[in-house]
Amino acid sequence: MNFPLIKGLKNGLLVELDYMHPQEQEVVRALLNDVIVEGKTYPQKQPLSPAEFSAYWLSKDAFVVKTSVENTTHKPKEILGAFYLKPNFPGRCSHICNAGFIVQPRLRGQGIGRFMGEAMLLIAANLGYEAVMFNLVFETNIPSITLWQSLGFKIIGRIPGAAKLRDEQVVDALIMYRALG
């Protein structure tokens, strides 16, 4: 595949998706930590240190969506969202991948998640994965569930009481799956 991938969002913003570069890691770690502190979608309870972030997010392939170079405001490119892609299981099961996604809170609902999801499916297939599996999609994360179902994912399981959200609400987690190709 040729990177960056370019797309115009609903709000007219031109964005690009590319592999994450080392100088972008701290911005993505800060965004992930903000999402973790929100306490609604990720299992971690505490912000991740640089080493913890590296082990979790950077173990295989990581990508960012940022404002495109074609924006003429002469501002540095801003990271709007990010995702990782890695085998969900080792060895004989490593053809099934897993991915995790984050979007800047103020930009949710603008199509960044859909762009990343559609791109992830293409990238995963291009990297030789045969399926994508999400292990813990909290049942209260309706925007994610809706997005993944619209991209062909099926709910293949439910883990009762899997997550205790920041507000102490206990919710089930869904396991979602989609074959590639």
Side-chain angles (χ1 to χ4, degrees), residues 157-172:
R158 176 179 292 269
I159 306 166
K164 293 180 181 176
L165 303 183
R166 183 175 178 188
D167 65 4
E168 298 301 318
Q169 178 187 5
V170 177
V171 300
D172 292 356

Side-chain angles (χ1 to χ4, degrees), residues 51-112:
E52 291 166 329
F53 171 75
S54 183
Y56 178 66
W57 199 270
L58 304 176
S59 65
K60 192 67 175 157
D61 295 301
F63 302 87
V64 294
V65 171
K66 52 194 168 188
T67 52
S68 180
V69 71
E70 278 113 40
N71 289 315
T72 57
T73 58
H74 302 292
K75 294 180 185 174
K77 293 179 183 179
E78 179 188 4
I79 293 177
L80 310 176
F83 69 96
Y84 67 79
L85 185 61
K86 60 186 173 186
N88 199 31
F89 308 105
R92 290 187 172 88
C93 301
S94 62
H95 60 283
I96 300 172
C97 67
N98 177 260
F101 298 80
I102 51 176
V103 174
Q104 291 282 357
R106 74 181 197 289
L107 296 170
R108 293 175 184 158
Q110 299 298 310
I112 295 166

Side-chain angles (χ1 to χ4, degrees), residues 122-165:
L122 294 171
I123 294 165
N126 193 54
L127 291 173
Y129 293 110
E130 297 175 18
V132 182
M133 183 172 165
F134 300 135
N135 304 317
L136 291 169
V137 181
F138 299 168
E139 68 180 348
T140 50
N141 191 350
I142 302 304
S144 286
I145 294 166
T146 302
L147 171 62
W148 300 129
Q149 288 180 322
S150 77
L151 293 176
F153 283 79
K154 303 290 182 217
I155 297 169
I156 62 167
R158 176 179 292 269
I159 306 166
K164 293 180 181 176
L165 303 183

Side-chain angles (χ1 to χ4, degrees), residues 36-56:
I36 289 169
V37 169
E38 283 178 341
K40 297 177 183 177
T41 57
Y42 270 78
Q44 292 86 353
K45 280 187 154 184
Q46 302 298 321
L48 301 181
S49 70
E52 291 166 329
F53 171 75
S54 183
Y56 178 66

